Amino acid sequence: MDRQQQASRDVLMRDPYPLYARARAATGLTFVPEFDAWLVARDADVREVLRRPDDFSSAQVLRGDVRPSAEAFAVLGEGFGGHRDAVSADGAEHRRLRAPLIRGLSAARVAKVVPYARERAEELVDSFVGEGRVELMEAYARRLPGDVVGRLAGLDPADVPQVVHGGHQAERLLFLPMDEAGQVAASQDIVTMQQILDGYVCDRRAAPREDLCTELVAALAPGPADEPLTLEQRHELVAQLQNFLIAGHLTTTALIGTTVLHLLRHPDQWERLTAEPARIPAVIEEAARYDAPLQAFRRVTTRDVTLAGTELPEGSEVLVAFGAAGRDAALHPSPDVFDIERRQGARHLAFGLGAHACVGAQLAREQLGITLELLTRRLPGLRIADDRPAVTMRPTLIHRAPEALHLTW
């Protein structure tokens, strides 16, 4: 892809909503060359794909938009890769890999970590509240979710920053263009993260604890504590733990950033929320519908199928756009209007549906709720800083968020 094509693609990903609108209005599906896939944009069609996992495989769900260089691949070969995780598996393998995540993110375990999340959120706000301004993404949105999922997984707080950084680097390597030196550096950070996680899975085999890491080890590599994990088991366990941590913090980071952005772009709605914090649950759902943190995932047809009147041969790639479904007027009146007083009708698809629905959705909602309660209470005069460049979105459909969010009060 040349620079001109990349620039065009970046513009499209920074604001995909005009493309979504054209695709919803079109007859059948729309093929998008920039994504090399058929775009599934209507809510009904998205639901159909998600309800037919046997016909629409998740095997390519995390296929990157960028192919790393040979040098980057060589570095990655020193880590723990090559195994499918729960997101990119199908059928029985998917159910096997997903089961311990469901147990690890049970309502009871999420409730248990909420007090820590609230305490940590307060500490982060304490660190900048006296400054009168903050870049929210770096100072808060990229920190709270990592700390919380690290706590659930059982990580030492000292390891969390490196693991979170490795997750961001993994996303950048696959979805954002970098020069070769940047790709190699990102790969090194990813390998460092994987080596840290390998230490945890090996430790939990020998000394189980009450955490998600132990849950994964017990479910996927059962055996006596004095029997070391095989290299194959370590690779699989690191892949699952890495996927959980990356999905757990990147998605919530994005949701926090976009929610605060849209509230402050509508000052009347921000003021209404500060006066009536009981509206927070409705705000969470409206924000997720209006600008889904995970805009789209790929699926691949396992046989010849017809979707929305479009014939798709076996092996066709479709881009299932949760973000587009959230703006479908067939379910959401005036869908392009951000309205915290909206009466939620049909459930939005921001957290997916069916076999691959997000297992961490409740944890994400809890953290966003804590954030909104805290900011409206402690910083009711919050606003977007007008002495900084306009807010721009990151050029990716994975974890859509502001690149930076400079605020003042």
Side-chain angles (χ1 to χ4, degrees):
M1 184 181 298
D2 62 28
R3 290 185 178 181
Q4 185 175 359
Q5 290 173 318
Q6 184 63 53
S8 174
R9 181 188 176 92
D10 284 359
V11 169
L12 182 60
M13 290 194 290
R14 288 184 197 275
D15 183 10
Y17 290 102
L19 169 64
Y20 293 161
R22 294 193 297 272
R24 285 193 302 268
T27 300
L29 303 182
T30 298
F31 186 80
V32 183
E34 290 88 348
F35 301 136
D36 192 27
W38 294 91
L39 180 61
V40 184
R42 286 177 288 269
D43 182 276
D45 297 333
V46 170
R47 289 176 189 273
E48 182 174 352
V49 171
L50 298 179
R51 286 169 173 155
R52 296 169 59 184
D54 292 340
D55 295 335
F56 295 92
S57 168
S58 295
Q60 297 297 319
V61 69
L62 292 178
R63 179 169 75 79
D65 297 327
V66 177
R67 181 172 177 78
S69 67
E71 290 76 7
F73 270 122
V75 173
L76 291 172
E78 300 172 6
F80 292 80
H83 275 260
R84 292 199 183 284
D85 52 41
V87 175
S88 57
D90 294 316
E93 183 183 21
H94 167 68
R95 292 188 291 274
R96 178 179 71 89
L97 298 175
R98 183 179 168 90
L101 296 177
I102 293 174
R103 292 192 295 271
L105 286 163
S106 67
R109 286 193 171 176
V110 169
K112 189 175 180 180
V113 82
V114 165
Y116 168 76
R118 186 171 290 110
E119 176 185 348
R120 187 69 185 114
E122 291 273 9
E123 291 173 350
L124 290 172
V125 173
D126 285 343
S127 71
F128 61 74
V129 69
E131 300 298 320
R133 62 190 310 119
V134 68
E135 196 287 282
L136 192 73
M137 299 307 296
E138 186 60 37
Y140 183 93
R142 294 193 183 106
R143 298 182 66 183
L144 177 67
D147 290 343
V148 171
V149 296
R151 179 87 163 206
L152 261 175
L155 304 188
D156 186 315
D159 288 329
V160 169
Q162 184 63 56
V163 170
V164 168
H165 178 66
H168 283 287
Q169 290 288 68
E171 181 190 33
R172 293 185 66 215
L173 182 65
L174 289 176
F175 297 103
L176 298 174
M178 291 188 288
D179 60 23
E180 186 173 287
Q183 289 189 348
V184 169
S187 299
Q188 291 168 339
D189 290 335
I190 293 166
V191 169
T192 297
M193 170 185 63
Q194 292 172 342
Q195 291 169 342
I196 291 172
L197 299 183
D198 178 55
Y200 278 96
V201 299
C202 291
D203 176 78
R204 293 306 189 269
R205 173 57 162 254
R209 301 185 188 181
E210 281 292 322
D211 56 33
L212 187 137
C213 185
T214 299
E215 190 76 56
L216 285 169
V217 172
L220 304 182
D226 60 353
E227 181 179 297
L229 295 167
T230 67
L231 183 60
E232 176 74 10
Q233 288 172 325
R234 288 163 59 194
H235 273 271
E236 181 173 74
L237 287 166
V238 169
Q240 308 319 309
L241 188 55
Q242 174 179 301
N243 169 65
F244 163 74
L245 290 166
I246 291 177
H249 70 78
L250 286 175
T251 303
T252 308
T253 289
L255 185 59
I256 290 172
T258 53
T259 301
V260 174
L261 171 64
H262 294 309
L263 279 167
L264 296 182
R265 279 180 168 171
H266 299 79
D268 59 324
Q269 300 199 48
W270 171 257
E271 291 171 6
R272 198 173 307 142
L273 181 61
T274 60
E276 303 176 50
R279 292 184 181 274
I280 286 175
V283 171
I284 292 171
E285 301 311 316
E286 174 65 355
R289 176 206 69 82
Y290 182 76
D291 206 359
L294 183 63
Q295 287 282 301
F297 261 166
R298 292 180 183 270
R299 295 287 192 271
V300 180
T301 57
T302 59
R303 61 181 183 84
D304 294 352
V305 300
T306 300
L307 180 66
T310 300
E311 295 182 1
L312 301 171
E314 179 182 345
S316 298
E317 288 201 11
V318 296
L319 193 65
V320 187
F322 312 116
R327 301 280 188 99
D328 191 336
L331 276 82
H332 309 287
S334 302
D336 295 318
V337 175
F338 180 74
D339 181 7
I340 66 172
E341 295 187 353
R342 181 184 298 275
R343 291 186 176 181
Q344 297 292 336
R347 190 83 171 201
H348 62 73
L349 297 174
F351 296 111
L353 177 77
H356 283 271
C358 176
V359 296
Q362 187 55 38
L363 182 61
R365 287 183 170 101
E366 292 284 359
Q367 292 178 80
L368 181 55
I370 289 169
T371 298
L372 295 177
E373 187 280 326
L374 187 57
L375 294 181
T376 54
R377 172 169 52 85
R378 299 190 63 180
L379 296 169
L382 200 62
R383 64 184 188 277
I384 298 173
D386 56 13
D387 61 347
R388 294 283 185 162
V391 178
T392 58
M393 305 302 286
R394 299 171 68 246
T396 176
L397 296 183
I398 303 294
H399 306 125
R400 174 174 167 80
E403 289 189 335
L405 187 55
H406 293 277
L407 307 178
T408 188
W409 52 92

